Amino acid sequence: MQFSINRQAFIKALGIVQRAISAKTTIPILTGLMIDVSANNIQLTGSNADISIQTLISGDNPDYELTISSTGKIVLPAHFFSEIVKKLPNRELLVEVGDNFQTTIKSGNSEFTINGLDANGYPHLPEVDSEHPIQLPAEIFREVIGQTVIAVSKQESRPILTGIHFTLDHNQLLAVSTDSHRLSQRKVELPTAAEGDYNVVIPGESLKELSRMLDSEKDAIEMHLSENQVLFTFGKTRFYSRLLEGNYPDTSRLIPNSSETKVQFAAPDLLAAVERASLLSHESRNNVIKLTINPDNQVVTITGNSPDVGKVEEDLSPAEVSGADLEISFNPDYLKDALQVFGPIDVEVAFTSALRPFTITPVENQENFIQLITPVRTF
């Protein structure tokens, strides 16, 4: 196997697949990068068993300046190989595999030789049905991930809650996550209807990684589903993730249908006040802040208290307040996470009682995005 390539373009392709490669793995060969050289293309593969990423370097793309002299496959130690390629001196890079998988990497006057592994020992990537892909606008899907991944559980005691639950009915995609203390739900109308209904749970960690990769994507991505795997394809890249097994809890009953007290804020203003109040609450053992609402006087007061440090109290200026008086305590970090993903819009916070979960929704288009937070009992 032998090829030469533009080094900087190759570094970009390496960076894509390296996202899936971990130094901590029980399968030693997965610390490596698989390079599969065919007559006109090079396919790079990285995997950590949970996610796998493949990207294609096409000989038709002039940016790669690719010349293939002989074909073949090899697995190279990903960390060392990548560091070597980054530090080589010249524009052109030559990779050549000799006997016993000894691999020579040349650029200018620099030459490295590293030991590779037989690619036949690399695990096969899962077969995923590509008959009926689901088309997703990349920008919208990245937004959905960002708005729901904040509420996935970090506790492995209930593995199903470490993922985002996606259901698709014709052209309506519903994404839900909860860690049992808070919930995030987002609905999206897709441009084209899917063939069939879907109900899957995708690990939050996989989706975080995918979201970072979609930063520069402007086109639609395709989602392909099989029994225990999901495949996302975009550009020349294929992103595989395992699906979580089990039934996701029915979260629809958790969202209240009515409320006793409602307050409207500009999300950035409320976020800034919560951040100030949490400066002191973080110093206390229970990390709780309190919101006191007096609709008659149109006053909302936020209070943070730490017995060791002191107290903060701030009167807020809501755009609108209605309903009954209320005093409610909650974890400020949950509200900060929720408000950050709304961005610079007006939100409505709706309360049922001091001990029932409250919701945060955009003032406009309330049905499509709901965040829910469970209060803390302080007495």
Side-chain angles (χ1 to χ4, degrees):
M1 182 184 111
Q2 183 179 337
F3 65 90
S4 67
I5 193 167
N6 178 294
R7 191 173 62 86
Q8 287 300 331
F10 191 51
I11 287 169
K12 280 187 185 174
L14 284 177
I16 291 170
V17 295
Q18 271 199 293
R19 292 175 177 276
I21 301 172
S22 170
K24 298 173 185 173
T25 174
T26 53
I27 307 170
I29 201 167
L30 291 185
T31 61
L33 160 85
M34 186 162 82
I35 303 176
D36 183 355
V37 180
S38 58
N40 193 44
N41 301 317
I42 297 175
Q43 187 162 259
L44 304 179
T45 305
S47 179
N48 64 10
D50 283 336
I51 65 170
S52 302
I53 301 173
Q54 275 188 335
T55 196
L56 191 72
I57 295 170
S58 172
D60 298 332
N61 185 337
D63 292 347
Y64 286 111
E65 299 168 16
L66 180 61
T67 304
I68 295 170
S69 305
S70 59
T71 61
K73 287 184 191 179
I74 192 156
V75 176
L76 296 176
H79 176 71
F80 285 122
F81 180 63
S82 174
E83 287 304 305
I84 289 167
V85 171
K86 286 175 187 172
K87 290 184 167 53
L88 287 171
N90 278 22
R91 176 190 178 92
E92 187 186 53
L93 163 74
L94 177 73
V95 178
E96 185 176 1
V97 178
D99 296 336
N100 299 318
F101 308 107
Q102 287 260 308
T103 304
T104 305
I105 306 149
K106 296 180 186 174
S107 181
N109 294 325
S110 183
E111 181 175 317
F112 284 80
T113 303
I114 60 174
N115 298 321
L117 295 168
D118 185 350
N120 290 322
Y122 198 85
H124 290 288
L125 291 189
E127 293 288 324
V128 178
D129 170 39
S130 54
E131 281 290 302
H132 305 296
I134 302 158
Q135 301 277 343
L136 302 163
E139 206 168 331
I140 298 291
F141 193 58
R142 189 174 71 245
E143 187 180 88
V144 169
I145 295 170
Q147 290 170 338
T148 52
V149 80
I150 58 169
V152 298
S153 175
K154 295 176 178 62
Q155 305 297 321
E156 289 296 335
S157 53
R158 289 189 71 188
I160 197 76
L161 297 186
T162 62
I164 299 176
H165 183 209
F166 289 93
T167 51
L168 183 61
D169 182 5
H170 297 297
N171 69 330
Q172 187 174 82
L173 179 72
L174 180 68
V176 181
S177 62
T178 181
D179 61 5
S180 73
H181 300 292
R182 53 179 164 173
L183 175 146
S184 182
Q185 176 178 290
R186 175 71 197 271
K187 286 181 190 171
V188 177
E189 297 283 333
L190 299 180
T192 53
E195 294 190 28
D197 300 339
Y198 295 91
N199 182 336
V200 296
V201 184
I202 305 175
E205 289 302 316
S206 300
L207 290 168
K208 278 185 196 172
E209 205 53 72
L210 175 64
S211 178
R212 293 182 193 113
M213 296 176 69
L214 294 177
D215 266 353
S216 54
E217 277 301 311
K218 295 286 180 253
D219 300 328
I221 66 170
E222 288 187 349
M223 181 164 76
H224 311 259
L225 290 163
S226 71
E227 195 174 331
N228 57 6
Q229 289 281 330
V230 61
L231 165 64
F232 295 95
T233 59
F234 48 98
K236 298 287 185 184
T237 299
R238 297 162 67 85
F239 182 103
Y240 296 82
S241 171
R242 70 185 176 96
L243 297 174
L244 293 176
E245 293 179 13
N247 294 319
Y248 203 84
D250 177 15
T251 55
S252 59
R253 58 190 174 78
L254 301 175
I255 300 168
N257 295 320
S258 60
S259 60
E260 292 295 314
T261 308
K262 291 182 181 179
V263 190
Q264 289 184 11
F265 289 99
D269 295 348
L270 180 57
L271 174 60
V274 172
E275 285 175 333
R276 286 189 288 272
S278 67
L279 288 173
L280 293 189
S281 72
H282 282 157
E283 296 301 317
S284 67
R285 201 168 61 245
N286 55 7
N287 187 27
V288 168
I289 65 173
K290 184 170 71 177
L291 209 60
T292 306
I293 303 165
N294 185 329
D296 289 342
N297 298 329
Q298 295 287 293
V299 171
V300 177
T301 305
I302 193 166
T303 311
N305 189 17
S306 167
D308 298 331
V309 180
K311 182 178 179 181
V312 57
E313 188 170 291
E314 182 176 342
D315 286 339
L316 307 180
S317 303
E320 201 172 297
V321 192
S322 61
D325 287 6
L326 183 73
E327 197 172 90
I328 190 165
S329 300
F330 52 88
N331 182 321
D333 296 335
Y334 294 163
L335 185 54
K336 283 194 289 187
D337 288 345
L339 291 169
Q340 279 167 347
V341 296
F342 279 104
I345 63 168
D346 288 349
V347 294
E348 180 175 274
V349 191
F351 305 90
T352 310
S353 75
L355 297 177
R356 294 286 307 279
F358 62 93
T359 60
I360 308 108
T361 54
V363 170
E364 306 283 333
N365 211 355
Q366 290 190 336
E367 287 297 306
N368 287 342
F369 187 26
I370 299 170
Q371 302 259 15
L372 177 142
I373 295 171
T374 303
V376 175
R377 187 191 288 268
T378 55
F379 50 86

